[in-house]
């Protein structure tokens, strides 16, 4: 099976992890901070807080921004469930903004319309989480302008987008957001096994997220709320978690970060080849946007003259041919858990129409030209089978 995504691990990655295993520290050693500093250098952000997953990163980002009961968080339905669940973890209400039919990212027009309605009935969101779907940045300048006007905070879910750029700056620089979150799950652009990070330019937010990562404990005597009991003292001043990442993971992350630029170039080469190879087929290839240099986590095509039945036939034929195509994403509001909260099919028609026709083709740095041809041949056959 040719998978849809896969990590690329070379000898330098292996050596880096083995070296950590022989060191004094397996976790909570010097590499966590080194990894954070390297991420700051890459993104141009002032602070980075590395944690054990992007899901944890989204959770502590929401908490640091003060999200709680009585608040609401909005995100896109075309994402992994984690982008929405973080709001529920904090006791907030979650709602969605439909997508743009060309970029598949959160529609700025839909966001503006929803904000206008929410202002009238006093239900404006505290946080909006745009997701840079497939690695292509959302229209952050426009979303940031709406944040200024309506007073909400922005967390960029850039789980797909490390190595990408927006208006010639690295995604994660937080020029148009409060916090950016990246994922280092093995299918993403670079990996630490499991892992994630929050970047921000706000020191107060960074300090708070560092604390929430480790039980809400501080060793900074300035923050103590009781007199210090001695040099051993640490004080828990709020409720946090164990969301720590290990030195072993950060060793891998540091080594992978060195390969990031090469990974993105390889992904672009693959996307360019797909664009050409797919030209004769009845499929819509991903749009390109001059504001954004995509990290190309995913290469998503849409089938033309499509419905859910035809897409299912193509999907099944591809899987039968040994091609690990995938679907990104089942709209979050149609998940059983969200339907039980009152959402229903039909609520976000653009996301649902897109979902009925989308197909993610294999895309990862080690995918060979020959494998890519195999994917396109299988797709050609699959499309012929379903039309005949
Ligand atoms: C993968 C992913 C997450 C969750 O990342 P983990 O590191 O697995 O917790 C969140 N949001 C999006 C958009 C993702 O693709």
């Amino acid at each position: 099976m040719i998978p849809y995504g896969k990590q690329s691990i070379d000898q330098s990655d292996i050596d880096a992890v083995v070296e950590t295993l022989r060191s004094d520290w397996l976790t909570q050693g010097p590499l966590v901070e080194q990894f954070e500093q390297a991420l700051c250098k890459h993104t141009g952000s002032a602070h980075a807080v590395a944690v054990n997953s992007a899901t944890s990163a989204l959770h502590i980002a929401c908490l640091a921004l003060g999200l709680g009961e009585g608040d609401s968080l909005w995100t896109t339905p075309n994402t992994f469930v984690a982008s929405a669940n973080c709001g529920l973890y904090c006791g907030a209400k979650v709602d969605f903004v439909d997508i743009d039919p060309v970029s598949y990212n959160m529609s700025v027009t839909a966001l503006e319309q929803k904000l206008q309605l929410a202002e009238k009935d006093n239900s404006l969101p505290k946080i909006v989480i745009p997701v840079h779907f497939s690695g292509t940045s959302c229209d952050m300048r426009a979303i940031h302008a709406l944040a200024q006007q309506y007073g909400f905070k922005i967390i960029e879910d850039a789980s797909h987008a490390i190595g990408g750029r927006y208006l010639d700056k690295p995604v994660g620089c937080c020029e148009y957001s409060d916090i950016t979150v990246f994922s280092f799950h093995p299918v993403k652009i670079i990996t630490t096994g499991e892992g994630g990070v929050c970047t921000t330019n706000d020191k107060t937010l960074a300090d708070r997220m560092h604390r929430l990562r480790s039980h809400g404990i501080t060793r900074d005597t300035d923050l103590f709320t009781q007199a210090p009991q001695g040099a051993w003292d640490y004080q828990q001043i709020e409720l946090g978690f164990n969301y720590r990442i290990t030195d072993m993971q950060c060793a891998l992350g540091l080594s992978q970060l060195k390969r990031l630029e090469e990974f993105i170039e390889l992904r672009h080469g693959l996307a360019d080849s797909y664009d050409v190879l797919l030209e004769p087929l009845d499929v819509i290839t991903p749009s390109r946007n001059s504001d954004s240099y995509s990290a190309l986590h995913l290469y998503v095509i849409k089938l033309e003259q499509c419905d859910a039945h035809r897409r299912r036939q193509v999907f099944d034929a591809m899987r039968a041919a040994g091609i690990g195509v995938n679907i990104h994403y089942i709209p979050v509001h149609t998940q059983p858990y969200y339907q039980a909260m009152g959402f229903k099919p039909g609520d976000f028609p653009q996301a649902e129409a897109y979902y009925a026709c989308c197909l993610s083709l294999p895309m990862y740095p080690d995918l060979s030209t020959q494998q890519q041809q195999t994917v396109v041949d299988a797709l050609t056959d699959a499309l012929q089978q379903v039309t005949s």
Side-chain angles (χ1 to χ4, degrees):
M1 180 79 81
I2 302 176
Y4 87 86
K6 192 181 172 208
Q7 71 277 14
S8 168
I9 299 293
D10 73 4
Q11 195 58 43
S12 67
D13 295 317
I14 294 167
D15 291 346
V17 176
V18 169
E19 199 182 318
T20 313
L21 286 170
R22 298 190 206 282
S23 78
D24 289 341
W25 304 96
L26 296 186
T27 184
Q28 302 298 101
L31 295 188
V32 177
E33 209 182 313
Q34 269 183 44
F35 187 40
E36 289 174 342
Q37 278 167 6
L39 287 162
C40 286
K41 190 158 175 250
H42 166 77
T43 57
S45 70
H47 310 277
V49 181
V51 290
N52 60 358
S53 73
T55 303
S56 304
L58 286 163
H59 185 193
I60 61 172
C62 287
L63 288 173
L65 290 169
L67 190 74
E69 253 168 73
D71 295 327
S72 24
L73 175 151
W74 293 359
T75 188
T76 166
N78 185 32
T79 186
F80 186 55
V81 292
S83 317
N85 288 346
C86 55
L88 302 180
Y89 296 159
C90 300
K93 210 172 149 286
V94 167
D95 203 351
F96 301 93
V97 179
D98 211 349
I99 64 167
D100 176 272
V102 175
S103 69
Y104 317 144
N105 272 331
M106 180 183 283
S107 157
V108 174
T109 316
L111 175 60
E112 185 163 18
Q113 284 167 356
K114 201 175 171 92
L115 287 165
Q116 282 164 357
L117 290 176
E119 188 173 41
K120 287 196 191 115
D121 66 5
N122 231 353
S123 62
L124 285 169
K126 184 161 203 163
I127 295 177
V128 172
I129 304 190
V131 177
H132 303 320
F133 179 73
S134 79
T136 303
S137 177
C138 295
D139 186 350
M140 290 310 300
R141 212 162 31 175
I143 295 171
H144 181 253
L146 290 171
Q148 305 283 81
Q149 192 182 340
Y150 290 94
F152 57 83
K153 304 288 184 186
I154 302 174
I155 301 171
E156 296 174 68
D157 184 343
S159 291
H160 299 183
I162 197 165
R165 297 176 73 81
Y166 173 68
L167 296 177
D168 262 337
K169 292 209 175 131
V171 171
C173 70
C174 298
E175 175 154 354
Y176 298 106
S177 64
D178 298 280
I179 297 170
T180 301
V181 166
F182 295 113
S183 171
F184 306 127
H185 182 278
V187 294
K188 307 290 163 72
I189 307 277
I190 61 169
T191 189
T192 58
E194 294 278 0
V197 70
C198 300
T199 61
T200 182
N201 293 319
D202 182 325
K203 182 166 187 314
T204 310
L205 289 177
D207 288 347
R208 182 103 198 265
M209 292 190 289
H210 271 120
R211 206 155 62 229
L212 289 165
R213 170 176 77 182
S214 198
H215 307 281
I217 283 170
T218 184
R219 289 178 186 278
D220 179 353
T221 50
D222 290 346
L223 296 174
F224 282 13
T225 55
Q226 295 175 357
Q229 300 174 37
W232 65 85
D233 200 10
Y234 57 83
Q235 293 187 6
Q236 184 191 341
I237 58 172
E238 64 182 321
L239 186 62
F241 311 88
N242 179 354
Y243 282 171
R244 294 185 302 250
I245 189 166
T246 66
D247 263 37
M248 297 178 285
Q249 290 169 296
C250 291
L252 182 55
L254 278 160
S255 160
Q256 289 263 299
L257 203 50
K258 289 186 193 136
R259 305 178 60 206
L260 174 59
E261 204 176 321
E262 176 204 335
F263 287 163
I264 303 291
E265 277 168 19
L266 287 165
R267 286 175 180 274
H268 274 266
L270 291 165
D272 291 346
S273 304
Y274 269 141
D275 285 353
V276 174
L277 291 168
L278 295 172
E279 215 158 332
L281 304 188
D282 278 343
V283 300
I284 299 162
T285 54
S287 65
R288 303 270 179 127
N289 170 345
S290 58
D291 285 349
S292 172
Y293 179 69
S294 180
L296 281 166
H297 164 54
L298 301 173
Y299 188 91
V300 180
I301 58 166
K302 261 172 61 181
L303 308 183
E304 282 178 26
Q305 300 112 36
C306 172
D307 55 36
H309 175 67
R310 199 170 118 90
R311 198 274 308 275
R312 188 191 175 133
Q313 287 182 308
V314 174
F315 181 96
D316 289 345
M318 292 294 278
R319 283 286 179 98
I323 313 296
V325 287
N326 218 326
I327 304 297
H328 299 94
Y329 284 99
I330 302 167
V332 177
H333 69 282
T334 67
Q335 291 289 351
Y337 191 82
Y338 281 84
Q339 288 207 40
M341 285 167 36
F343 292 104
K344 53 189 187 312
D347 283 350
F348 302 99
Q350 295 291 352
E352 291 168 38
Y354 155 81
Y355 164 66
C357 305
C358 68
L359 192 69
S360 300
L361 300 184
M363 167 57 88
Y364 51 91
D366 296 339
L367 188 72
S368 70
T369 310
Q370 199 187 336
Q371 284 174 317
Q372 213 175 7
Q373 187 65 54
T374 308
V375 172
V376 175
D377 291 345
L379 183 62
T380 309
D381 290 347
L383 289 170
Q384 262 158 14
Q385 276 171 41
V386 299
T387 38
S388 57

